[in-house]
Amino acid sequence: MNERQQSRRPGGRSARVGAQVHQAVTELIGERGYGNFTVGEVAARAGVADSSIYRRWGSLETLLTDVALTRLNARSPMPDTGTLAGDLRTYAAQVAREITGPDGPAVLHLAVALSGSGEQGVRAGQELRAERTRQLQSVLDRARERGEDAPDALDLLDHVLAPMYVRVLFGMVPLAPEYVDGLVDRLLLTRSVDQG
């Protein structure tokens, strides 16, 4: 079975290599920060050839975007609790756990750094934000389909995610559950006051 065939099935060598490379990136960001390592160093730490990384991801920026999105999707999936408030509280709690976990600050720094790392990095950062916004929008659209008055994705970013990100980036942690729930409650209250 060739590598292309292996990449189509869950597990196998391709999945193992992907996990090793992702872990190497996360560790290097945690140790050195964004922009302070090369594809060669990622490959060496992951125990794979540079060519494997270039063949699969094409560039360091594409790899970094994949790492950030994979982590976000795995650790902070889009919930479906049946209510907008439940979805937003669940999602915000997941994000808070992710960004305050052992590798969370490194992944958060990665997501922020992609935007300022040259043309490829800017493009990678835009792709990361566009995909995450699309996922958030699906939660908000589902709420509207149920007849709920959902905020815009940008409002969610401004009122819920940004305060948590700032606190973590500046070392103002932990993010207590009451604080995280309060961010969601204020967003929903502001919506109802604006509509009233």
Side-chain angles (χ1 to χ4, degrees):
M1 181 181 297
N2 66 33
E3 187 173 7
R4 190 174 298 265
Q5 290 170 320
Q6 285 180 330
S7 68
R8 290 187 188 141
R9 66 175 192 172
R13 182 180 184 283
S14 182
R16 189 174 61 254
V17 167
Q20 290 170 294
V21 169
H22 278 220
Q23 186 59 40
V25 167
T26 302
E27 290 172 3
L28 286 165
I29 291 170
E31 292 168 15
R32 302 184 193 175
Y34 175 79
N36 297 316
F37 55 88
T38 65
V39 167
E41 290 170 308
V42 172
R45 179 158 307 197
V48 302
D50 299 25
S51 58
S52 294
I53 293 176
Y54 283 115
R55 186 170 46 254
R56 186 164 178 176
W57 288 280
S59 70
L60 182 58
E61 288 78 10
T62 302
L63 168 59
L64 297 175
T65 301
D66 186 47
V67 169
L69 266 176
T70 300
R71 287 293 299 268
L72 288 170
N73 291 338
R75 307 265 173 107
S76 304
M78 296 296 117
D80 187 0
T81 65
T83 67
L84 176 62
D87 288 350
L88 295 183
R89 283 191 188 99
T90 300
Y91 176 66
Q94 290 170 347
V95 170
R97 276 192 303 275
E98 168 63 10
I99 64 177
T100 58
D103 299 329
V107 173
L108 185 55
H109 282 282
L110 165 61
V112 171
L114 275 171
S115 298
S117 60
E119 186 177 327
Q120 280 189 319
V122 169
R123 193 167 42 253
Q126 289 169 341
E127 290 171 13
L128 173 65
R129 286 187 302 278
E131 176 59 20
R132 206 54 177 164
T133 300
R134 184 195 63 72
Q135 293 172 351
L136 287 171
Q137 193 62 52
S138 70
V139 170
L140 301 174
D141 290 344
R142 194 170 51 237
R144 287 189 187 99
E145 289 168 9
R146 291 189 302 255
E148 295 182 86
D149 181 34
D152 294 328
L154 191 55
D155 287 336
L156 182 58
L157 176 65
D158 288 343
H159 296 281
V160 178
L161 300 179
M164 290 194 293
Y165 292 171
V166 166
R167 282 183 173 232
V168 171
L169 287 170
F170 288 99
M172 303 163 57
V173 288
L175 297 175
E178 309 79 46
Y179 171 76
V180 175
D181 283 347
L183 293 173
V184 172
D185 292 343
R186 280 191 293 282
L187 171 61
L188 296 176
L189 181 61
T190 300
R191 291 283 303 165
S192 64
V193 168
D194 289 345
Q195 300 298 317

